[in-house]
Amino acid sequence: MKKRSLALFLVATLSMGTLIGCGDSDKSGDSNASGSSSESTENNKKGDKIKIGATIYKYDDNFMSYLRRGIEKAVKSKDVDLIINDSQNDQAKQLEQIDTMIAKGVNVLAINLVDPKAAPSVIEKAKQNDLPVVFFNKEPDENVMKSYDKVWYVGTDSKESGVIQGKLMIDDWKANPEWDKNGDGKVQYVMLKGEPGHPDAEARTQYSVEEFKNAGIDTEELAIDTGMWDAAKATEKMDAWVSKSGEAIELVICNNDGMALGALSSIEKAGYNIPIYGVDAIPEVLEKIKADKIAGSVLNDSKGQAEAVVNLAVNVANGKDPLEGTESKLDDKKAVRVPYVGINKANVNIAEETYK
Ligand code: BGC
Ligand code: CA
């Protein structure tokens, strides 16, 4: 694959002792985006442009590809340089990338961890170099967030996505009595879970189903497994479930849209028509919602999160208040949490707006 040869190129380039600096072309699989080249900011004493060193846990993730584009777009309106790396789902590689970025003189780290448990290693590197860190999308544990005064988090309230997804499903379940195919009053569902241990995956799995209980509707879990946020893996799981108990499945609950797309392709192949719900509201799924192929999703606002990451990173790199010039709030876990929005055919336009 192209990505592999790019990675090899990166390794080769680094071993020649060459750093891929800002302004270089995009040969390495990293990309360097630059904001406007107006006067540098007052608080940046050296007069150099602020350099943000960012990583994405893997570019090959549906949702993260939008968040990454959002970051690249958001820096355009700022006087900053961005170095951004694909960590290719490899925590060791990400830590090396961070070392390289520090060697290149970045002023702030913006890190989408591969493994949320690796946050202390990143913080250690940041501390040694007196650098601020903004984690995003994969939330470190609370005690780790408290271990350094220059660390912040940008993400969401994971529970909220599960609750909203649950409410969407309940409204539709009530409005479509024929969805209860065996007429037993219970929802026979299958669940495609994201990466185990990921706060979003755990919370969505729990709270989406809990909403049914809160609404007094009984549920029966026919199958649950992780599709690791991934469409192809989800198709594999769904193929097995459909061939075993296709007739019995009344609802497909997915922790994200990538897996909802994977489930859809399996269900269509088998000739069934089963309501599917995801989370993220990525453009590919908005098209499926408009075509009545996916019933609903929950907007995970990649644009809002990307802007919050960039604003926070630039502010702290300049020694300013993290929230200066923004409408964001920090909670007691030093986190900016961007709200989720339930999306179905009636309001797809709200989600579409965020991709413009
Ligand atoms: C998104 C998933 C994505 C994951 C990556 C979640 O918030 O909903 O689609 O795969 O983040 O960490
Ligand atoms: Ca039923």
Side-chain angles (χ1 to χ4, degrees):
M1 249 187 85
K2 199 175 159 214
K3 226 172 52 187
R4 189 147 297 157
S5 61
L6 289 174
L8 286 175
F9 177 86
L10 173 65
V11 170
T13 314
L14 288 175
S15 61
M16 286 187 303
T18 314
L19 294 179
I20 298 148
C22 300
D24 283 353
S25 61
D26 188 15
K27 287 178 219 149
S28 62
D30 305 350
S31 64
N32 296 282
S34 196
S36 68
S37 55
S38 59
E39 291 292 287
S40 52
T41 44
E42 267 177 39
N43 290 309
N44 183 10
K45 305 245 166 40
K46 281 179 281 171
D48 295 338
K49 262 193 195 180
I50 289 293
K51 251 186 236 173
I52 303 177
T55 62
I56 300 290
Y57 93 94
K58 63 170 187 172
Y59 280 6
D60 186 19
D61 171 298
N62 281 301
F63 173 72
M64 293 314 300
S65 70
Y66 290 102
L67 188 36
R68 172 187 150 211
R69 268 174 248 177
I71 289 174
E72 287 168 347
K73 215 166 162 188
V75 293
K76 294 230 163 80
S77 60
K78 306 254 177 198
D79 188 25
V80 297
D81 283 323
L82 171 70
I83 303 173
I84 187 159
N85 285 187
D86 179 0
S87 300
Q88 297 175 4
N89 211 17
D90 179 339
Q91 188 57 60
K93 182 185 295 258
Q94 181 170 80
L95 292 171
E96 282 166 24
Q97 291 170 333
I98 292 171
D99 287 337
T100 305
M101 293 190 296
I102 293 174
K104 286 181 192 171
V106 296
N107 308 94
V108 55
L109 295 168
I111 305 297
N112 173 216
L113 290 161
V114 175
D115 176 1
K117 298 272 173 257
S121 313
V122 177
I123 289 180
E124 215 27 63
K125 291 180 190 298
K127 264 188 189 164
Q128 279 163 16
N129 294 279
D130 194 30
L131 283 178
V133 190
V134 180
F135 288 112
F136 60 99
N137 172 261
K138 295 204 195 182
E139 186 166 4
D141 290 340
E142 195 176 349
N143 60 322
V144 178
M145 292 299 294
K146 286 193 176 134
S147 70
Y148 186 37
D149 58 337
K150 291 187 184 164
V151 60
W152 292 271
Y153 176 70
V154 172
T156 58
D157 170 2
S158 305
K159 174 180 175 180
E160 187 187 28
S161 51
V163 170
I164 292 176
Q165 191 187 40
K167 288 196 191 314
L168 284 174
M169 296 189 292
I170 290 162
D171 285 348
D172 293 344
W173 177 263
K174 286 184 178 159
N176 295 281
E178 73 283 4
W179 284 11
D180 183 11
K181 288 193 275 191
N182 65 355
D184 69 350
K186 275 191 207 167
V187 189
Q188 274 79 22
Y189 72 89
V190 295
M191 171 81 73
L192 280 161
K193 190 175 169 181
E195 182 191 355
H198 190 307
D200 290 346
E202 298 301 335
R204 289 172 193 169
T205 301
Q206 177 185 348
Y207 293 105
S208 56
V209 174
E210 233 171 74
E211 274 307 292
F212 280 100
K213 290 199 188 86
N214 295 342
I217 300 169
D218 285 339
T219 56
E220 182 184 345
E221 188 173 84
L222 297 181
I224 177 169
D225 205 343
T226 176
M228 294 301 286
W229 302 123
D230 182 72
K233 291 202 178 73
T235 302
E236 237 175 73
K237 303 286 172 198
M238 200 69 217
D239 281 351
W241 296 341
V242 159
S243 73
K244 191 177 156 227
S245 45
E247 278 307 328
I249 303 170
E250 296 175 340
L251 181 67
V252 181
I253 311 176
C254 306
N255 280 179
N256 81 339
D257 279 358
M259 296 189 293
L261 290 167
L264 174 65
S265 79
S266 167
I267 288 166
E268 284 190 324
K269 206 165 47 188
Y272 287 108
N273 184 5
I274 310 171
I276 305 171
Y277 291 82
V279 175
D280 286 337
I282 55 174
E284 297 92 311
V285 161
L286 300 178
E287 290 312 311
K288 300 294 181 195
I289 291 176
K290 287 198 269 189
D292 292 319
K293 303 211 161 194
I294 288 181
S297 187
V298 182
L299 176 65
N300 194 2
D301 181 353
S302 56
K303 186 181 179 202
Q305 291 169 49
E307 287 170 353
V309 168
V310 171
N311 286 332
L312 226 151
V314 173
N315 277 338
V316 296
N318 276 318
K320 292 185 181 169
D321 182 284
L323 301 179
E324 193 176 305
T326 75
E327 310 221 311
S328 306
K329 288 197 178 71
L330 281 175
D331 69 8
D332 57 355
K333 293 179 184 148
K334 295 193 282 178
V336 170
R337 299 191 194 272
V338 177
Y340 285 105
V341 186
I343 299 292
N344 59 22
K345 207 174 177 183
N347 68 348
V348 262
N349 61 308
I350 292 180
E352 281 170 337
E353 275 305 310
T354 64
Y355 298 100
K356 283 188 177 147

